[in-house]
Amino acid sequence: MRYGFVLTALLLFGFAANAQNKPKKISPDLFGIFFEDLSYAADGGLYAELIQNRSFEYSPADNRDWNSLTAWKYQTDGFGYGTISVETAAPIHPNNPHYILLDIQDEGQKGVGLENSGFDGIPVKAGKNYDFSVFLNVISGESLPVKVALVDKNGKELGSSSFTAADKGWKKYAEQIHVNFDNDSAKLVLLIKAKGKVGIDMVSLFPEETFKNHKNGLRADLAQVIADIKPKFMRFPGGCLTHGDGVANIYRWKNTIGPVEQRVEQRNIWNYHQSVGLGYFEYFQFCEDIGAKSVPVLAAGVSCQNSGGTWRIGSTGQKGIPMDEMKAYVQDVLDLIEYANGPATSTWGAKRAAAGHPAPFNLEYLGIGNEDKITGVFEERFRMIYDAVHKAHPEIKIIGTVGPSPNGEDFEKGWKLAYQLSVGIVDEHYYEKPQWFLKNTARYDSYNRRRSKVYIGEYASWGNTLYNALAEAVYMTHLERNGDVVRMASYAPLIARIGHTSWNPNLIYFNGTKVFPTVNYYVQQQFAANAGDVYLPGMIKLKGEKATLDTTAGASFVKDSATGDIILKIANAGSTQISGQADLSAIGKLPESATLTVVSGNPEAKNSADNPQAVLPQSSTIKLQKKWAFTVPAYSLTVVRISVGTIRKQK
């Protein structure tokens, strides 16, 4: 197989070029990720907490089969007995009202307490440490011996620790458990080993090793797979989660910061629960850790139009925050900017500093609204928020919304409003068949370059096969070509726990112990890790009919100004190989080699838990020539990166 790559002296040495082939600056933030807490993406997913329902706040409002003791079992092995009840009088904090009251009347041989099954079991590894903590209130007034242990399904102890609870009033106790055996489905047992009465809340277990070793941190392996995409930004926390199922369910960022025992938990629009242990501070911190710009999205003062399941009868469920409450809501939006960017001496900057981050997070983008129905109720509230933010913080790039589809009434109304207000960026969404992506590669060619830029906040073809991923790759080469008007793009959704998926497809699947990147993931990774900020048109010529008539192919040629590297991408979603030609003679002395990465295979192949490596990128080193013809295989993505470092060493 022969590969050839077009490079020009313009690219490397600054030659002049004709107008048609003139380089253009494109967004340096083009390819990123979108995180939404659906399919157990946060609790039971990226958030490393191993205890499910740790604060006993589950309820039938989350899921009709749930209650405060979901995932818990009253433990009386060893012939102990007493009573157990869920209480709300005198909790740790009013925001965390429920707790367990145990009245141990006879501790028996082992003690009386609670057992938690985690999220499909608690995975532990031999030789590793786990950080346990709990809030206890010893109401009986006498010291109580406590044992906490991790056990397997047969009760075999995998690791344990013991301590004494002695004080009336809520007090946090922390222990470290060293585990001696591997187990994928352990349980945590908390036992009180004497007669007495005690309140129990915020039972927590984290791996000692979290991502970047942060306390209240993230699951290391899953976070690393996300980081390996090398995204330029991360949008969070949703999605539909942001504007919620009704006004009372709108995601309020202030409820998600501060000590975890004081945060306000709430129902998830996807029919489970949000502990908000992964809150705004943790989102900002994660973005910083992986080198991605933060793109928080706040509700535009309205709930999801699908609230109450009304999508079944025509999507009429959108409700607005009452107008007499909108001034306070607008202030919440402004306070978020202060929380992210304000000095540590400011009111909200001080709260950020108290959480361990005195320096600003350098927020640049702020989304207002998520694929909302463009109604009068929406427009009135969006204008209020937009005007206030634009006036107070003209440095912030505001992202508006143009509905849930790539066309239609809401799309047209959303763009009209964006024009009227001169909104800098608007958020387009589309989930379509692969053929749609192949037929719409000219979508942004005719967009007005002097008006609002575009953020494609959510997009995916319907599937996780190689063919789906390559259809997306062809489309992405055209996003690079239009990177002057398309500022950002993010595949969605990002992650999903196997057995708890609310939506398919997803970019990454996982269970309690393993992470399974899809073929789509590797395509996204190749584009994000090999992004550029200068696009050079006309640098590669595809031969034959495919060059002019067939939309199954796409090519792009970009330069990364930060490194000087030159990157060529050729995506072929067709059933035949593609040939092309390049002329590198204008460069002068060529670098000795370049890195070639190819993603290819059977178009129906997919990575899964049963076959996680069905399709993987394959990299090699190739030599360069001045006159080059190339051929790329059917159903493939080819990426070539030429390092400027190798060129400079030869000069």
Side-chain angles (χ1 to χ4, degrees):
M1 186 180 300
R2 297 172 299 158
Y3 290 86
F5 313 95
V6 181
L7 302 176
T8 67
L10 164 69
L11 192 59
L12 297 175
F13 306 112
F15 286 20
N18 61 44
Q20 183 179 359
N21 290 342
K22 186 177 181 180
K24 62 178 176 181
K25 292 183 178 180
I26 62 175
S27 172
D29 302 329
L30 185 53
F31 297 117
I33 55 175
F34 161 52
F35 181 93
E36 179 167 7
D37 184 8
L38 77 162
S39 302
Y40 283 62
D43 293 331
L46 185 59
Y47 186 48
E49 173 65 79
L50 295 170
I51 301 301
Q52 185 173 190
N53 190 19
R54 66 182 177 187
S55 57
F56 309 102
E57 297 300 326
Y58 277 23
S59 79
D62 302 316
N63 184 301
R64 67 179 64 185
D65 297 322
W66 286 4
N67 57 59
S68 292
L69 285 171
T70 294
W72 292 96
K73 178 182 176 182
Y74 182 38
Q75 179 61 267
T76 58
D77 289 351
F79 308 103
Y81 65 89
T83 62
I84 180 173
S85 59
V86 178
E87 303 291 342
T88 57
I92 296 173
H93 191 275
N95 290 344
N96 181 11
H98 297 91
Y99 61 92
I100 294 299
L101 180 63
L102 279 183
D103 185 354
I104 303 98
Q105 297 166 17
D106 189 323
E107 69 274 22
Q109 297 172 353
K110 296 182 179 180
V112 173
L114 296 169
E115 176 185 283
N116 188 272
S117 55
F119 297 90
D120 304 322
I122 299 173
V124 294
K125 294 182 179 180
K128 299 296 184 179
N129 295 322
Y130 294 82
D131 294 330
F132 167 83
S133 65
V134 64
F135 279 79
L136 298 176
N137 177 10
V138 182
I139 298 170
S140 57
E142 297 179 0
S143 297
L144 295 176
V146 182
K147 180 178 180 179
V148 57
L150 287 159
V151 302
D152 69 10
K153 63 181 181 181
N154 298 317
K156 176 184 175 181
E157 188 172 292
L158 309 172
S160 67
S161 185
S162 298
F163 60 96
T164 299
D167 298 327
K168 282 190 174 182
W170 291 104
K171 179 181 177 181
K172 185 177 181 179
Y173 298 84
E175 295 288 318
Q176 191 167 81
I177 301 173
H178 182 79
V179 170
N180 299 305
F181 305 94
D182 289 343
N183 196 279
D184 291 348
S185 55
K187 298 178 181 180
L188 181 130
V189 179
L190 175 67
L191 296 171
I192 311 299
K193 304 190 73 175
K195 296 180 180 65
K197 186 179 293 188
V198 60
I200 304 172
D201 204 356
M202 293 300 293
V203 185
S204 177
L205 186 73
F206 276 82
E208 181 184 36
E209 298 172 359
T210 60
F211 187 67
K212 303 295 184 182
N213 292 318
H214 294 304
K215 295 296 183 183
N216 194 52
L218 306 182
R219 177 174 159 177
D221 60 342
L222 184 52
Q224 188 60 57
V225 170
I226 295 171
D228 288 344
I229 298 173
K230 299 190 183 302
K232 301 300 184 292
F233 66 87
M234 185 174 90
R235 175 182 180 233
F236 63 86
C240 293
L241 186 89
T242 296
H243 52 192
D245 190 2
V247 169
N249 195 235
I250 287 175
Y251 193 99
R252 302 292 187 126
W253 76 268
K254 289 181 179 179
N255 290 343
T256 75
I257 64 170
V260 290
E261 69 273 12
Q262 297 179 18
R263 299 183 185 184
V264 181
E265 303 186 23
Q266 71 175 46
R267 178 171 62 88
N268 188 302
I269 193 173
W270 299 101
N271 298 313
Y272 58 101
H273 188 83
Q274 301 171 74
S275 74
V276 297
L278 174 53
Y280 257 72
F281 178 83
E282 291 77 22
Y283 282 122
F284 279 127
Q285 182 174 252
F286 182 51
C287 289
E288 184 175 78
D289 284 343
I290 65 176
K293 294 182 179 180
S294 299
V295 185
V297 181
L298 302 178
V302 297
S303 68
C304 180
Q305 57 263 29
N306 297 328
S307 294
T310 51
W311 60 272
R312 295 181 183 278
I313 56 172
S315 298
T316 58
Q318 183 190 80
K319 301 294 180 182
I321 293 173
M323 288 304 294
D324 61 358
E325 298 176 15
M326 275 301 297
K327 182 178 180 181
Y329 183 78
V330 171
Q331 187 61 50
D332 284 348
V333 177
L334 298 175
D335 289 345
L336 173 61
I337 299 172
E338 182 177 288
Y339 180 79
N341 291 354
T345 54
S346 65
T347 299
W348 290 97
K351 294 182 183 297
R352 181 195 68 239
H357 201 286
F361 282 117
N362 300 316
L363 179 68
E364 181 179 338
Y365 295 103
L366 181 65
I368 304 296
N370 170 73
E371 59 178 47
D372 295 283
K373 194 169 184 63
I374 311 300
T375 63
V377 173
F378 166 85
E379 285 196 29
E380 184 176 21
R381 286 155 180 79
F382 180 86
R383 286 176 183 270
M384 289 180 65
I385 300 168
Y386 178 84
D387 289 344
V389 173
H390 187 64
K391 179 179 179 180
H393 294 282
E395 76 282 3
I396 296 294
K397 298 178 178 68
I398 300 172
I399 303 171
T401 180
V402 293
S405 302
N407 49 44
E409 181 183 19
D410 293 319
F411 183 84
E412 299 297 333
K413 286 184 176 180
W415 268 104
K416 181 179 179 181
L417 180 62
Y419 290 158
Q420 291 174 353
L421 296 178
S422 298
V423 177
I425 309 171
V426 299
D427 179 16
E428 295 187 355
H429 291 184
Y430 34 83
Y431 297 94
E432 302 287 343
K433 294 179 179 180
Q435 290 76 13
W436 184 94
F437 288 91
L438 298 175
K439 292 178 180 178
N440 283 273
T441 53
R443 178 180 176 89
Y444 296 105
D445 291 353
S446 60
Y447 270 49
N448 190 326
R449 265 59 184 165
R450 294 188 296 272
R451 290 187 171 178
S452 303
K453 306 303 182 186
V454 176
Y455 169 30
I456 309 171
E458 300 181 31
Y459 76 96
S461 67
W462 289 111
N464 286 131
T465 68
L466 175 61
Y467 181 69
N468 291 104
L470 292 174
E472 293 155 4
V474 172
Y475 194 75
M476 292 168 76
T477 64
H478 295 279
L479 297 184
E480 286 192 311
R481 188 185 72 222
N482 287 287
D484 57 329
V485 69
V486 180
R487 191 175 188 95
M488 299 184 291
S490 49
Y491 183 103
L494 180 63
I495 60 175
R497 187 178 183 107
I498 295 171
H500 300 276
T501 53
S502 309
W503 182 278
N504 281 296
N506 298 276
L507 198 64
I508 303 165
Y509 292 86
F510 64 93
N511 58 26
T513 59
K514 296 180 181 179
V515 182
F516 306 100
T518 63
V519 184
N520 314 69
Y521 167 91
Y522 290 111
V523 165
Q524 293 292 325
Q525 182 187 54
Q526 289 303 313
F527 275 83
N530 293 289
D533 60 342
V534 178
Y535 183 83
L536 290 108
M539 296 298 167
I540 183 169
K541 302 296 183 184
L542 302 181
K543 289 183 179 179
E545 188 174 312
K546 284 186 178 295
T548 56
L549 300 178
D550 197 331
T551 61
T552 60
S556 67
F557 205 105
V558 298
K559 178 181 179 180
D560 178 357
S561 296
T563 63
D565 288 2
I566 303 144
I567 305 108
L568 168 65
K569 306 179 187 77
I570 306 171
N572 181 11
S575 59
T576 59
Q577 64 184 18
I578 294 176
S579 296
Q581 57 186 356
D583 183 2
L584 309 184
S585 58
I587 296 176
K589 187 175 182 180
L590 292 171
E592 292 181 355
S593 61
T595 301
L596 169 72
T597 302
V598 180
V599 181
S600 64
N602 186 311
E604 297 305 313
K606 63 171 64 176
N607 295 342
S608 65
D610 295 329
N611 190 6
Q613 298 184 329
V615 181
L616 296 176
Q618 302 295 326
S619 295
S620 60
T621 300
I622 59 170
K623 293 194 177 293
L624 299 175
Q625 300 175 12
K626 290 184 178 180
K627 297 290 184 179
W628 211 320
F630 66 85
T631 301
V632 297
Y635 302 117
S636 68
L637 169 65
T638 298
V639 180
V640 178
R641 189 174 189 113
I642 303 174
S643 173
V644 72
T646 61
I647 299 173
R648 287 174 176 167
K649 288 177 182 178
Q650 297 175 54
K651 290 179 67 176

